[in-house]
Amino acid sequence: KLLSNVDGLLNVEVSTERLSLAIGIEEAVSPMTRLALRVAVSFPGGVELCVRCRRGDQHLLFPIIVSDEISLPALLYGTTLPLAAFFLLREFVVRPYAQRCAAEESRLRLTILESELVKKRKENEAFVQLMTETSQNSIATERRCRGLVVLNAWYGRLVSSTDDTEEATGDHSGTIVDVTIALQCLVKDSRLILYDTDKSSLPGFYDPAPQQSKRLRVRYEFRDHLHEVTVAEAEPLQLPKESHRLQ
């Protein structure tokens, strides 16, 4: 291993009719593409330069006869100059091209992800509108018995312990979703239980921050007292609890 993603190659062949020494380098240009440069010195045979490009199952081979006999100029032209050309090509052509391809692929993935998030956000908004009446009926029922009323609930990339309203309207608003109505619809007989499951799969939820850690924060009222709790993505939640009480 010579450099990052670069392998050194050495091959010696000895027979009664021929002596051959080959050295070379090979680099992974991308996960699917490898570029190799090989110089072979044979007696008899001379000096041969070989450039190979492999992409998946496809192989491109370019053999070049530098000299029919072994000589110092042939060795110089067959080793030093090709190696210099290889590294120059690597630094100023191949690597920038690979970086541009990686950046383009990253932008494409981001565009697809943003499109999916917009779609999920619209679906969630439609669901919330449908469940608004159910949520209002649940609130009315719970208030009559001084039961469990969800005042605010936020799910997503909650990065601080400050007021969720500030986070939802700040720099992280795109990674937080209001799930107040969704949670109120899950309240049954003044109780709410969420098991240790992926919360983004719950009705009225979606994943606003893929591949990032998320939390659920709930502020609720029970027996005329204010409560608040924050749980991690896979952490179960049970309401109400005395330990959640703020006053």
Side-chain angles (χ1 to χ4, degrees):
K1 181 71 71 172
L2 302 177
L3 296 171
S4 176
N5 295 331
V6 179
D7 295 323
L9 307 174
L10 175 62
N11 183 42
V12 179
E13 295 181 6
V14 179
S15 68
T16 57
E17 298 180 353
R18 185 177 182 180
L19 173 64
S20 176
L21 171 66
I23 59 173
I25 54 177
E26 182 174 355
E27 178 179 14
V29 178
S30 70
M32 293 291 293
T33 305
R34 296 187 70 87
L35 184 64
L37 177 67
R38 177 176 174 271
V39 177
V41 180
S42 304
F43 181 80
V47 181
E48 181 184 41
L49 174 66
C50 182
V51 180
R52 186 186 70 213
C53 180
R54 182 178 65 189
R55 181 173 178 81
D57 296 331
Q58 296 180 343
H59 294 257
L60 295 177
L61 191 64
F62 303 96
I64 303 172
I65 303 298
V66 179
S67 174
D68 293 332
E69 59 183 23
I70 300 175
S71 64
L72 185 58
L75 291 175
L76 177 64
Y77 293 139
T79 56
T80 306
L81 295 181
L83 284 174
F86 180 89
F87 282 103
L88 287 174
L89 183 67
R90 171 179 176 266
E91 291 298 322
F92 296 105
V93 178
V94 175
R95 179 168 290 179
Y97 174 75
Q99 291 174 345
R100 288 195 300 270
C101 289
E104 182 63 28
E105 184 178 351
S106 178
R107 285 194 294 269
L108 180 60
R109 287 198 301 265
L110 182 60
T111 300
I112 294 174
L113 180 60
E114 290 176 347
S115 177
E116 291 177 348
L117 284 177
V118 170
K119 180 181 177 180
K120 290 179 180 179
R121 189 178 297 118
K122 290 181 179 179
E123 291 175 349
N124 183 71
E125 291 172 353
F127 174 85
V128 169
Q129 290 180 353
L130 291 174
M131 298 305 294
T132 298
E133 184 176 352
T134 302
S135 173
Q136 292 173 346
N137 292 337
S138 175
I139 292 174
T141 300
E142 293 298 322
R143 288 203 181 279
R144 283 196 293 268
C145 62
R146 299 170 58 232
L148 176 59
V149 176
V150 179
L151 302 177
N152 295 105
W154 301 97
Y155 170 69
R157 188 168 172 259
L158 304 175
V159 296
S160 70
S161 58
T162 58
D163 184 6
D164 301 293
T165 305
E166 296 179 5
E167 285 191 294
T169 56
D171 294 338
H172 302 283
S173 59
T175 59
I176 299 174
V177 56
D178 185 345
V179 293
T180 306
I181 291 177
L183 284 187
Q184 186 64 54
C185 291
L186 296 176
V187 174
K188 302 296 180 184
D189 300 324
S190 298
R191 293 176 64 84
L192 173 61
I193 299 177
L194 300 180
Y195 297 100
D196 52 346
T197 184
D198 180 9
K199 293 180 176 60
S200 64
S201 62
L202 293 171
F205 284 63
Y206 71 92
D207 189 347
Q211 300 179 356
Q212 299 184 52
S213 60
K214 291 169 284 292
R215 295 187 293 172
L216 171 63
R217 183 173 298 152
V218 185
R219 179 169 294 184
Y220 63 97
E221 189 179 83
F222 182 72
R223 298 291 184 259
D224 300 325
H225 292 287
L226 190 63
H227 297 67
E228 185 175 290
V229 61
T230 302
V231 296
E233 167 69 28
E235 186 179 352
L237 174 66
Q238 181 175 336
L239 308 180
K241 274 190 175 182
E242 184 63 26
S243 59
H244 302 163
R245 183 171 168 179
L246 297 179
Q247 61 182 31

